[in-house]
Amino acid sequence: MKHPQKLRNTALLFAAASLFVMVGLYAYMYRASESFIDSAINARKIANANQAARAQGKEIIRLHESTAAKRDRLARLFVPAENAVAVIQAIESIGNSSGAAVSISSIKSSQSADPKDRIGQVTASVVISGSWKNVMRALELFETLQYQKSIKNVSVNYTGQKKEEKDATRQWQANFDISVATVATMQKI
């Protein structure tokens, strides 16, 4: 009879050990599946974020391509800050186009001290001399100058000595200040 008792104890010990191993395996599998599910959720979040970033990148590229003409036009409105000579040349060319004598009595260039502010200006005091028709044509050309500009302090006077001079021979003079917007170019890294 001792033998069945020993067999029962061994069977009970084996059942308890099996139960312990099964509970341990269940706990391990539960933790492993929980970890796998967390990893899958995180991977899905990353995939969604990457997909959203790609969509945003495509939208930025589309916006960049669709605004190319506008950006080109905008760039032509500003004179590069390091090329203020272009403003002087544009002013002088108006004299040749209008038939009036155009001269610059003073010119200055200013740029903001703040490196983030890239907009500045070139300001010139201009004198135009010639017939009424030529002076008015020159003023019209200044107003239609391609750059972003501001024209201030305009005065027009005749310079002849006699009021009785014929209008065709009377000389006129226009004085004004013109400010042209400049932009500092960005340094490429």
Side-chain angles (χ1 to χ4, degrees):
M1 279 234 168
K2 264 188 165 185
H3 188 49
Q5 182 73 23
K6 192 174 186 181
L7 190 59
R8 199 179 304 148
N9 286 343
T10 304
L12 192 55
L13 187 61
F14 180 72
S18 294
L19 181 63
F20 182 72
V21 168
M22 294 298 275
V23 168
L25 282 174
Y26 177 77
Y28 171 77
M29 292 301 287
Y30 179 78
R31 294 278 184 210
S33 63
E34 191 176 66
S35 175
F36 177 75
I37 289 171
D38 287 344
S39 295
I41 289 171
N42 287 337
R44 188 67 187 144
K45 286 178 183 177
I46 290 169
N48 287 342
N50 286 341
Q51 188 176 14
R54 265 186 259 134
Q56 184 181 20
K58 287 179 183 177
E59 178 62 21
I60 290 171
I61 289 170
R62 186 199 62 74
L63 181 63
H64 182 265
E65 290 170 351
S66 70
T67 60
K70 291 178 182 177
R71 284 182 286 113
D72 186 46
R73 182 172 177 264
L74 182 63
R76 286 192 311 265
L77 290 175
F78 294 93
V79 176
E82 56 276 355
N83 192 16
V85 174
V87 175
I88 297 168
Q89 291 171 338
I91 291 172
E92 290 174 345
S93 72
I94 289 176
N96 296 334
S97 300
S98 67
V102 175
S103 62
I104 300 171
S105 62
S106 70
I107 190 164
K108 68 178 181 175
S109 178
S110 63
Q111 190 71 29
S112 174
D114 182 4
K116 292 179 184 176
D117 186 11
R118 298 178 42 221
I119 305 297
Q121 66 182 15
V122 173
T123 303
S125 294
V126 179
V127 178
I128 305 171
S129 302
S131 69
W132 176 259
K133 179 181 174 183
N134 292 349
V135 169
M136 289 301 114
R137 175 69 180 139
L139 284 172
E140 180 182 339
L141 290 173
F142 274 104
E143 289 176 351
T144 59
L145 199 62
Q146 73 175 355
Y147 304 120
Q148 177 66 32
K149 70 206 158 297
S150 169
I151 298 175
K152 297 179 181 175
N153 304 324
V154 178
S155 67
V156 179
N157 300 305
Y158 67 90
T159 58
Q161 296 294 328
K162 302 175 188 173
K163 290 186 178 183
E164 299 84 33
E165 286 181 1
K166 293 182 181 177
D167 287 341
T169 60
R170 187 177 290 171
Q171 290 295 303
W172 292 84
Q173 181 174 326
N175 300 298
F176 61 92
D177 297 326
I178 183 168
S179 296
V180 178
T182 62
V183 64
T185 55
M186 294 181 70
Q187 299 295 326
K188 293 185 179 181
I189 298 173

